[in-house]
């Protein structure tokens, strides 16, 4: 990685405009000559773009803003994208816009802010962004985030064409907000500078209401969102196929080979992975969020792969399969796997419009409790086990969650509209029961210990039932074995 010319240190050079330019400590250039500064101002082609097409979801984002406007009439609404976060020293993490901002604008650039200004008839929306880097003052090549270093960004005029929202310079926004009057709500936690400008104008209670509304608005997906989720799932299916094809290489190295293989598919076909991939082989499958992915991959063990591709519009899949590394389940592995499959089938069947959200969880947990009693691992009857939650020693987690721009989408929705709510067409959720027998669990026979199984699919609620978006991946144990054999050639 090359070093920019503008570091943070006390050494100062001067341009002709006498603006101070910070130099990198231990940089190779002591300053900028007047002649070089003058040279860098001119000789550049005009790259302004014209006649740009709006983003695919422009009509949907407009409808979402309209719903937000209707919910909070007469109030100023401020929704920041967020800022870059330092990874170490002068390097940053890859930026991902806040979910609320991306949902309402489709824009994904750092420092952006959406502001809805109240009017007599509703609100006027403005998207505040960084404009093109200034060539005259040297910003584009002397600033660490100048376009010479990090790449071209849209001009404000271009942004208006792409996002269908009037655009202004975000560097002027804090002052504007500080002088504003009237009720204001802001989505907190993303931009400290914007929050500071509003510190005497907002209350956390009102801000929480805004965030809850935007979370609940995402419970039912529109047509664009459903298409993006299917796209994410389709790429994820191909990523799982990629993994099966390289299991011999993973055996020769580690779980990291699996992680890297899936990541390649995510980066080629999408924006990124939607969350840290869980590539858990052997007893690591019993650690629910195993993302170290540094363990051995051994023939005879199971591989629990929980991974999802995130699309360029930031919608993510979330799929899990538990695969025999050598392509064949042992008798005990198959017994446990088939029990989880039966539980998942019961859960998926319970997903339909008008059903309670909890129904699919309860259906899956009942099947697993029955199996645990049948195997003699917990004392029945089943009703007692469920009432006391005794099955949870081995089932551990809930059977699913909402899915969308976040892998655990709609997380701050009210309980009465989410887990105590009713399923509606357009909702998308995961169904993912599991059984996990920890390696040190002395309450189960030795042969069970270290076996973890989860099967997870992304289920869309439809008008007449549901659709499994991830049906492209086999689930039944015999189908999994046949699929793996075909892919391994």
């Amino acid at each position: 990685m090359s070093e920019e010319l503008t570091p943070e240190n006390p050494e100062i050079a001067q341009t002709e405009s006498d603006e101070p330019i910070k130099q990198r400590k231990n940089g190779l250039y002591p300053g900028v000559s007047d002649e070089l500064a003058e040279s860098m101002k001119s000789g550049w082609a005009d790259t302004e773009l014209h006649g740009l097409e709006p983003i695919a979801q422009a009509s949907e984002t407009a409808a979402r803003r309209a719903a937000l406007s209707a919910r909070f009439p007469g109030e100023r609404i401020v929704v920041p994208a967020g800022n870059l976060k330092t990874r170490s020293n002068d390097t940053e993490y890859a930026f991902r816009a806040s979910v609320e901002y991306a949902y309402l604008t489709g824009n994904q650039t750092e420092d952006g802010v959406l502001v809805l200004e109240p009017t007599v008839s509703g609100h006027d929306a403005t998207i505040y962004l960084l404009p093109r880097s200034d060539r005259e003052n040297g910003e584009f090549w002397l600033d660490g985030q100048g376009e010479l270093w990090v790449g071209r960004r849209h001009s404000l005029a271009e942004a208006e064409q792409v996002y269908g929202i009037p655009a202004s310079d975000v560097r002027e926004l804090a002052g504007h907000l500080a002088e504003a009057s009237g009720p204001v709500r802001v989505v907190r936690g993303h931009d400290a500078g914007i929050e500071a400008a509003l510190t005497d104008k907002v209350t956390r209670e009102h801000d929480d209401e805004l965030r809850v509304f935007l979370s609940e608005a995402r419970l039912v997906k529109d047509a664009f969102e459903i298409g993006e989720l299917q796209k994410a799932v389709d790429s994820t299916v191909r990523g799982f196929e990629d993994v099966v094809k390289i299991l011999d290489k993973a055996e020769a190295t580690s779980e990291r080979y699996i992680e890297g293989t899936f990541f390649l598919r995510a980066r080629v076909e999408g924006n990124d992975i939607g969350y840290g991939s869980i590539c858990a082989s052997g007893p690591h499958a019993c650690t629910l969020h195993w993302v170290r992915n540094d363990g051995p991959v051994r023939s005879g063990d199971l591989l629990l792969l929980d991974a999802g591709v995130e699309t360029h519009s930031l919608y993510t899949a979330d799929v899990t399969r538990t695969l025999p590394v050598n392509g064949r389940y042992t008798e005990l592995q198959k017994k446990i796997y088939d029990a989880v499959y039966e539980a998942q089938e019961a859960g998926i069947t319970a997903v339909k419009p008008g059903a309670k959200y909890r129904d699919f969880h309860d259906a899956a947990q009942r099947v697993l409790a029955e199996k645990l009693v049948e195997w003699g691992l917990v004392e029945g009857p089943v009703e007692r086990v469920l009432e006391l939650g005794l099955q949870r020693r081995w089932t551990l987690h809930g059977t699913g969650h909402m899915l969308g721009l976040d892998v655990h989408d709609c997380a701050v929705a009210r309980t009465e509209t989410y887990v105590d709510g009713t399923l509606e067409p357009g909702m998308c959720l995961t169904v993912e029961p599991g059984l996990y027998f920890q390696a040190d669990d002395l309450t189960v026979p030795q042969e069970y210990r270290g076996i973890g199984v989860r099967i997870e699919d992304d289920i869309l609620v439809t008008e007449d039932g549901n659709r499994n978006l991830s049906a492209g991946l086999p689930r039944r144990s015999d189908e999994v074995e046949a699929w793996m054999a075909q892919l391994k050639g």
Side-chain angles (χ1 to χ4, degrees), residues 64-226:
R64 297 165 194 167
R65 293 192 300 273
L68 176 61
S69 173
R71 173 61 180 82
F72 299 106
E75 302 185 40
R76 181 176 287 102
I77 308 295
V78 182
V79 185
N83 315 123
L84 290 173
K85 295 179 180 178
T86 299
R87 182 178 185 272
S88 179
N89 187 26
D90 58 354
T91 59
E92 291 86 20
Y93 288 104
F95 179 75
R96 190 184 192 276
S98 74
V99 163
E100 296 86 356
Y101 177 84
Y103 178 72
L104 293 167
T105 68
N107 178 258
Q108 298 178 32
T109 55
E110 66 270 17
D111 302 327
V113 184
L114 172 69
V115 178
L116 299 187
E117 295 280 357
T119 66
V120 174
S121 58
H123 288 82
D124 288 337
T126 303
I127 188 170
Y128 288 85
L129 302 167
L130 282 173
R132 296 290 309 278
S133 291
D134 193 328
R135 304 289 176 111
E136 188 64 26
N137 68 7
E139 174 195 343
F140 92 102
W141 71 290
L142 291 172
D143 188 273
Q145 293 301 315
E147 289 180 312
L148 183 142
W149 296 104
V150 300
R152 187 188 189 279
R153 54 182 174 257
H154 280 307
S155 70
L156 298 180
E158 292 169 355
E160 290 185 1
Q161 298 173 61
V162 172
Y163 302 107
I165 312 171
S168 292
D169 189 338
V170 72
R171 293 172 296 189
E172 302 169 358
L173 178 58
H176 170 66
L177 292 176
E179 297 173 359
S181 60
V184 182
R185 295 179 191 257
V186 61
V187 176
R188 292 179 179 265
H190 301 299
D191 194 318
I194 294 299
E195 289 183 36
L198 294 169
T199 188
D200 60 339
K201 298 177 173 61
V202 295
T203 66
R204 186 167 294 279
E205 178 184 352
H206 286 172
D207 292 344
D208 288 345
E209 289 177 355
L210 169 61
R211 193 161 176 235
V212 167
F213 172 80
L214 290 172
S215 194
E216 293 182 358
R218 302 197 307 275
L219 284 169
V220 175
K221 270 56 182 178
D222 57 38
F224 174 83
E225 293 179 292
I226 293 169

Side-chain angles (χ1 to χ4, degrees), residues 435-457:
L435 281 174
Y436 311 90
F437 300 102
Q438 306 298 324
D440 59 350
D441 187 350
L442 301 181
T443 70
V444 300
Q446 175 69 43
E447 60 269 24
Y448 283 76
R449 298 173 199 167
I451 296 178
V453 173
R454 180 164 66 253
I455 313 172
E456 177 181 19
D457 286 87

Side-chain angles (χ1 to χ4, degrees), residues 205-313:
E205 178 184 352
H206 286 172
D207 292 344
D208 288 345
E209 289 177 355
L210 169 61
R211 193 161 176 235
V212 167
F213 172 80
L214 290 172
S215 194
E216 293 182 358
R218 302 197 307 275
L219 284 169
V220 175
K221 270 56 182 178
D222 57 38
F224 174 83
E225 293 179 292
I226 293 169
E228 289 299 291
L229 285 167
Q230 186 65 70
K231 190 185 303 181
V233 168
D234 291 345
S235 289
T236 299
V237 168
R238 289 187 284 273
F240 274 67
E241 293 172 347
D242 296 339
V243 167
V244 171
K245 293 175 183 177
I246 56 84
L247 282 177
D248 57 333
K249 294 182 174 64
E251 286 188 65
T253 52
S254 76
E255 296 162 340
R256 291 281 169 92
Y257 206 99
I258 295 166
E259 179 183 6
T261 298
F262 187 85
F263 180 71
L264 177 62
R265 177 66 66 173
R267 286 294 280 167
V268 168
E269 295 193 1
N271 176 60
D272 206 331
I273 50 174
Y275 53 95
S277 299
I278 299 168
C279 308
S281 182
H284 288 163
C286 299
T287 301
L288 292 186
H289 294 155
W290 178 258
V291 293
R292 299 180 202 171
N293 299 335
D294 59 359
V297 178
R298 299 188 178 100
S299 179
D301 282 347
L302 296 177
L303 167 68
L304 190 156
L305 178 59
D306 184 336
V309 172
E310 177 186 81
T311 66
H312 294 292
S313 61

